Amino acid sequence: MKLSEELPLIAKDPYGYAEKLKAEKKIVGTLCSYTPEEIIIAAGAHPFRLFGSGQKSRLADAHLQSYCCSLARGVLEDALSERLDFLEGIVFAHTCDTMQRLSDICRINRGGVFHLDLILPAKLNTESARRYFRDVLQTFREDLGAKLGVEIADNDLRKAISAMNRIRKAFTRIYELINENPSIINGEELYILNRAAMMMDKARLADLVEGTVVQLSSGSREAPDAGAPPPKRIFLEGGVCNYPDIYNIIEEAGGAVAGDDLCTGFRYFNGLVDEDNPDPLMAIADRYLKRIVCPAKHAGIADRGERLVEMVLEKRAQGVIFFFLKFCDPHAFDYPYLQQVLEKAGIPSLMVEVDDPLQAGGQLQTRIEAFIEMI
Amino acid sequence: MAEKDEGKERRKIKAAAKMKEIMTSYYIDAKTAGQTGKKVAWITSGGPVEPLIAMDIIPVYPENHGAMIGASKMGVDLCRKAEEMGYSSDLCSYARSDIGCAPVNGGPIGGLPKPDMLVCCNNICGTVLKWYEVQARYFNIPLFILDTPFTHVGFSAEAKKYVKRQILEYIEFLENATAKKFNYDRMREVGKLSLEGQRLWQAVLDTAVNRPSPLSAFDAFFHLALIVTLRGTRQTVDYYKILLEEMQERVAQQIGAVADEQYRLLWDNLPIWYRMKWLSEKFASAGACLVADTYTTAWCGSMKYIKEDDFIDTMAEGYSRIYLNIGVDQMAEQVIAMAEKYNVDGIVMHSNRSCKPYSFGQYDIQRIVGEKMGIPTLMIEADMVDERNFSESQVETRIEAFIEVLQGKK
């Protein structure tokens, strides 16, 4: 398996890539997998996911206390230090308390780019929330169109939906192939693929990722050593993962990632928008309502636990690693419950919490090694 | 010495005893609900309690419980229990102490009365959503979520429609939970009493515009309990009438909350419950009175959106536009308006590790207020319940330095 050379370059230097892409398309920053990229694409613009570049925080500390997560701090640092000047605008989808305040702080302190709040419902399991979700998307479509000076027609939306579905189908296939044989692609490659997917031009991405499916299906990867034991299947659960090293650590310890429910992983690709629905906005909303939720959203009190066990069983994972960002409240609140649900189902788990930048790998590595050895 | 004690006695708020009585009898009622056949609902502090009162359901506030746990210095122990259960020590200490308390019936009142249902309104934070999910699983009871979309710069038409729709769903939820029809006539009365209570509470707080101020934020933190807990009852209206009269009497007699009021300050964020006495004495000894705060006004800040004769229909907007559910710039405007109204010399901000929506943005508010009004701000790093995040010597040094700044400005 050989990834196209473009992908690691984008994953490594996303802002350099964006500077170049800016000549072709207006770039709209996003912070969350709940941003309806289809609407941005339909407006002829390019949705670009922001993670922060992990630079030392100098300016952000004047706005955010020490108990704020590194994701919000990193994005604010980049916004204030003009590293995000390639952006035409930025869209904040409402999720957690921190993101909601980050939106305010960016709006107040960062001029020069348009700012849109997408105030989605927090509960996603009622009909009134569904209607509201659709209404919010309609307002967003109008506001974004006004900011970009275009009218977003239903037909544009349909084309964007189908383009995004093409990408989602290809990624779903990749995850199926990984499930069949986790060694088919190494974790770092999967990380790069996921990461680049959230930042690169969607048309080019669709071609590349479909090419990857063909390559993986043809089994071009050399067979593992006949004598070596098969890797232990690990499922990753958590929010934003900015750490390619985690995949290497897992692999070196004799594990392989068989699947994930990360906000920067499969949750981003999960589920298709119904292309036959005559109301494209309702169709976009419905995908979010059916998809497994981020813990900042509510879909019933047992939903996340039940669905996690389902996913883990489907992936035949032998263990789950919870991978959390420090100060991420929604994930931290769900952890004891999810851990118990897994325990009842006989699935061992390990929780690791990281801050940006990753602390010296030693302790993390030892814990992951011990866990993989134990399962 | 005798003279000093006399002054202290004179400054004591007499109504406090009555308030303790009301709260004790309320907790006894709630604790014995099982025997009297009444239903108990746990509800978030910013949640719409009026429909519960109209349905004769006893509202119980885990956040109020958190405050009691903090004030009785039992927070660290209960937070540790939650941490043993797997909850991160970075999570809200109200939530941690309540979650830690439920299985052991710990805390100052031996645990809260067991709920029959949960009502969670996310207008104050996203934390309550997670916290109530935890408790809904633990007690295995129905949970109603009133989802109030955040109003960064305004309240959209679609948000209004959504919240209004949910008010009807809330009523339906209560009808199902009690197997009783909702009494709209009773609700009209409760709505009126709620607004009257809010107006009276605001009037009590307003007496602090006087010099010396007859009450301090520390008093407000205490007398707040009724407007949070029993909003919409006659009892609350009657109590605040008594309290208001006493405050007016104190104004007439020039009795201040602080012996010799030199500086007037505004408090921002939740109280530091386990250091109330210490902080209040610290400030008072320097002649500084915390005359107002952004916290206790939050229970009457959105009155303007609610119509007395149409409570049910207008409460959607009132509950969505409360202090914590608005943008940082709007919060700064309100802080400035309060600073001007109460004529303060400085602001004390509690940067509260437990409350991200209240604390993130404080640095910006500090800057905006500084630029527009030229008044200084003291930032205290702490936590509302978890004492492990409080460094007495550091806070003391900061308070002293701040008082020096105020002295320099006089």
Side-chain angles (χ1 to χ4, degrees):
Chain A
M1 169 63 211
K2 185 92 184 74
L3 282 183
S4 152
E5 278 166 14
E6 279 171 79
L7 296 164
L9 288 178
I10 295 168
K12 211 174 152 200
D13 180 20
Y15 296 169
Y17 172 79
E19 287 291 349
K20 274 183 249 154
L21 190 67
K22 191 176 76 171
E24 295 166 40
K25 275 176 183 168
K26 289 179 176 168
I27 301 181
V28 177
T30 68
L31 287 114
C32 175
S33 76
Y34 281 92
T35 317
E37 292 187 310
E38 296 88 347
I39 299 177
I40 299 172
I41 296 168
H46 172 68
F48 183 90
R49 181 84 178 259
L50 302 170
F51 299 100
S53 54
Q55 304 280 329
K56 197 171 159 36
S57 179
R58 293 176 305 113
L59 302 170
D61 290 358
H63 302 272
L64 287 168
Q65 284 94 328
S66 60
Y67 44 92
C68 170
C69 74
S70 57
L71 176 66
R73 187 183 306 280
V75 170
L76 184 65
E77 181 64 29
D78 285 359
L80 296 177
S81 54
E82 294 167 6
R83 277 190 280 270
L84 302 182
D85 279 5
F86 56 82
L87 292 180
E88 185 79 14
I90 186 161
V91 178
F92 285 86
H94 181 91
T95 48
C96 63
D97 295 335
T98 301
M99 278 299 154
Q100 139 193 319
R101 286 296 174 221
L102 179 68
S103 162
D104 284 336
I105 293 169
C106 277
R107 177 168 52 78
I108 295 168
N109 294 287
R110 176 76 170 85
V113 296
F114 74 75
H115 183 110
L116 285 177
D117 284 305
L118 193 69
I119 308 160
L120 301 170
K123 58 176 176 185
L124 299 181
N125 59 345
T126 65
E127 183 56 27
S128 56
R130 177 174 177 257
R131 302 306 313 177
Y132 172 64
F133 204 130
R134 199 235 171 244
D135 289 346
V136 170
L137 293 183
Q138 175 59 28
T139 304
F140 178 64
R141 166 196 194 160
E142 287 161 17
D143 291 348
L144 183 73
K147 298 282 184 198
L148 294 171
V150 293
E151 193 141 327
I152 304 169
D154 272 6
N155 225 10
D156 300 323
L157 280 172
R158 287 204 185 89
K159 272 189 223 150
I161 287 171
S162 132
M164 284 306 295
N165 273 352
R166 206 182 132 198
I167 293 166
R168 291 178 188 128
K169 279 178 202 159
F171 268 97
T172 305
R173 184 66 196 134
I174 290 176
Y175 272 81
E176 282 167 6
L177 291 165
I178 291 172
N179 192 19
E180 284 164 24
N181 173 13
S183 305
I184 200 167
I185 181 170
N186 75 44
E188 198 177 342
E189 287 170 329
L190 179 64
Y191 173 87
I192 288 169
L193 201 56
N194 280 347
R195 181 52 63 123
M198 293 170 206
M199 297 186 287
M200 76 181 293
D201 180 73
K202 302 299 181 193
R204 178 73 189 134
L205 169 69
D207 289 344
L208 284 181
V209 78
E210 281 173 354
T212 305
V213 172
V214 172
Q215 255 196 75
L216 290 175
S217 311
S218 66
S220 61
R221 193 182 176 91
E222 52 290 4
D225 292 350
K232 289 182 182 161
R233 300 168 68 95
I234 301 294
F235 188 86
L236 281 182
E237 168 62 47
V240 169
C241 176
N242 283 348
Y243 309 95
D245 287 355
I246 188 96
Y247 289 94
N248 294 333
I249 294 173
I250 291 170
E251 279 165 12
E252 277 163 23
V257 176
D260 72 65
D261 173 40
L262 296 173
C263 139
T264 51
F266 193 61
R267 205 182 313 139
Y268 172 66
F269 307 106
N270 196 356
L272 297 177
V273 176
D274 178 7
E275 296 182 38
D276 296 328
N277 190 327
D279 178 354
L281 292 179
M282 196 75 255
I284 292 170
D286 280 340
R287 170 175 171 261
Y288 287 115
L289 266 65
K290 281 185 206 129
R291 195 177 74 160
I292 181 158
V293 296
C294 153
K297 302 277 176 213
H298 175 87
I301 55 172
D303 180 72
R304 287 197 76 229
E306 285 163 3
R307 293 179 75 163
L308 175 60
V309 171
E310 257 170 46
M311 285 187 290
V312 171
L313 294 178
E314 187 204 316
K315 301 290 177 191
R316 289 169 287 130
Q318 292 152 280
V320 172
I321 297 180
F322 290 93
F323 193 78
F324 296 153
L325 271 190
K326 190 163 171 63
F327 303 117
C328 177
D329 292 351
H331 277 288
F333 264 112
D334 271 359
Y335 167 68
Y337 159 64
L338 294 180
Q339 190 268 338
Q340 269 174 20
V341 169
L342 289 174
E343 201 176 273
K344 267 188 208 145
I347 304 156
S349 66
L350 171 77
M351 194 265 276
V352 294
E353 191 182 58
V354 296
D355 209 351
D356 216 359
L358 202 54
Q359 271 90 35
Q363 200 206 355
L364 186 66
Q365 196 167 348
T366 314
R367 290 187 64 210
I368 291 177
E369 276 169 7
F371 176 69
I372 291 179
E373 200 173 301
M374 177 202 80
I375 60 178
Chain B
M1 196 64 199
E3 204 187 304
K4 205 177 163 191
D5 281 345
E6 211 173 279
K8 210 175 164 186
E9 198 47 44
R10 217 164 99 90
R11 284 196 301 279
K12 247 190 197 159
I13 296 177
K14 313 293 177 285
K18 174 89 186 148
M19 154 102 177
K20 274 187 189 149
E21 224 173 81
I22 297 174
M23 285 306 283
T24 305
S25 104
Y26 153 72
Y27 269 111
I28 291 172
D29 275 358
K31 282 235 172 194
T32 54
Q35 295 146 37
T36 54
K38 281 199 172 186
K39 299 263 185 207
V40 170
W42 284 13
I43 180 167
T44 52
S45 68
V49 65
E50 293 84 356
L52 295 178
I53 303 279
M55 292 288 267
D56 265 328
I57 300 168
I58 303 180
V60 166
Y61 290 77
E63 288 159 78
N64 183 269
H65 187 219
M68 288 198 288
I69 291 170
S72 45
K73 302 183 201 270
M74 297 169 105
V76 173
D77 185 41
L78 290 170
C79 284
R80 279 208 183 105
K81 284 205 167 64
E83 287 154 28
E84 282 161 20
M85 291 160 79
Y87 293 94
S88 161
S89 60
D90 294 322
L91 291 172
C92 163
S93 54
Y94 273 180
R96 265 182 296 147
S97 50
D98 179 58
I99 291 169
C101 193
V104 295
N105 282 327
I109 57 163
L112 282 181
K114 201 181 158 304
D116 298 296
M117 69 198 90
L118 300 170
V119 178
C120 170
C121 180
N122 60 358
N123 58 354
I124 47 168
C125 60
T127 286
V128 287
L129 179 67
K130 303 310 295 176
W131 177 1
Y132 276 59
E133 285 177 356
V134 170
Q135 298 300 36
R137 284 190 294 263
Y138 179 77
F139 291 107
N140 193 23
I141 49 169
L143 163 67
F144 182 78
I145 296 163
L146 183 70
D147 184 14
T148 46
F150 199 77
T151 62
H152 289 281
V153 290
F155 191 47
S156 69
E158 61 266 25
K160 194 172 190 168
K161 192 170 95 185
Y162 175 42
V163 184
K164 276 188 173 188
R165 175 78 205 122
Q166 290 178 84
I167 299 286
L168 302 178
E169 290 167 5
Y170 180 30
I171 290 171
E172 215 178 292
F173 170 86
L174 296 180
E175 287 181 331
N176 288 335
T178 54
K180 276 198 300 196
K181 275 273 158 219
F182 190 71
N183 185 338
Y184 285 87
D185 290 332
R186 177 86 203 283
M187 181 62 221
R188 263 186 288 278
E189 272 169 54
V190 173
K192 282 193 178 120
L193 288 169
S194 167
L195 280 172
E196 200 181 344
Q198 292 181 53
R199 277 193 291 266
L200 283 162
W201 175 239
Q202 183 66 60
V204 167
L205 297 174
D206 283 351
T207 60
V209 298
N210 293 285
R211 266 176 206 273
S213 170
L215 85 165
S216 75
F218 297 105
D219 299 318
F221 295 153
F222 175 78
H223 293 277
L224 170 74
L226 287 189
I227 198 65
V228 179
T229 313
L230 294 170
R231 195 166 61 245
T233 64
R234 170 66 60 195
Q235 211 173 14
T236 297
V237 168
D238 291 345
Y239 176 73
Y240 286 127
K241 276 185 186 158
I242 297 172
L243 184 62
L244 180 60
E245 258 175 49
E246 187 178 342
M247 289 304 129
Q248 286 163 342
E249 182 60 28
R250 283 164 75 96
V251 170
Q253 292 189 30
Q254 295 256 307
I255 302 172
V258 164
D260 176 23
E261 183 187 297
Q262 298 286 318
Y263 310 106
R264 298 166 61 81
L265 304 172
L266 177 78
W267 175 274
D268 180 57
N269 211 310
L270 279 89
I272 302 171
W273 292 111
Y274 47 87
R275 277 295 189 285
M276 289 266 280
K277 190 160 180 284
W278 183 83
L279 278 168
S280 121
E281 284 171 1
K282 202 86 224 149
F283 282 106
S285 68
C289 182
L290 291 147
V291 294
D293 70 279
T294 57
Y295 178 64
T296 56
T297 49
W299 280 271
C300 42
S302 60
M303 260 189 299
K304 60 184 174 219
Y305 303 113
I306 301 181
K307 285 202 192 98
E308 188 169 274
D309 45 11
D310 201 4
F311 197 92
I312 281 284
D313 203 47
T314 50
M315 69 193 268
E317 183 152 8
Y319 275 102
S320 297
R321 305 188 82 164
I322 66 151
Y323 187 68
L324 278 181
N325 212 38
I326 57 177
V328 165
D329 38 357
Q330 287 183 52
M331 290 167 92
E333 276 171 31
Q334 291 200 21
V335 168
I336 289 170
M338 287 185 76
E340 283 172 350
K341 174 176 172 182
Y342 294 97
N343 212 338
V344 303
D345 306 297
I347 295 176
V348 182
M349 286 184 159
H350 168 203
S351 165
N352 181 357
R353 282 182 83 91
S354 271
C355 193
K356 293 181 171 83
Y358 215 147
S359 303
F360 293 165
Q362 273 179 323
Y363 291 172
D364 280 278
I365 296 174
Q366 174 182 18
R367 179 185 50 77
I368 294 168
V369 174
E371 282 167 7
K372 293 209 171 145
M373 297 186 72
I375 56 173
T377 299
L378 163 66
M379 193 69 75
I380 296 178
E381 300 283 340
D383 182 278
M384 57 203 181
V385 164
D386 191 341
E387 284 189 67
R388 288 170 295 177
N389 293 312
F390 186 85
S391 158
E392 191 168 290
S393 58
Q394 198 187 67
V395 173
E396 189 164 25
T397 314
R398 286 204 178 179
I399 292 175
E400 281 161 10
F402 183 64
I403 299 289
E404 275 174 34
V405 171
L406 293 175
Q407 279 164 349
K409 288 199 141 220
K410 278 268 162 172

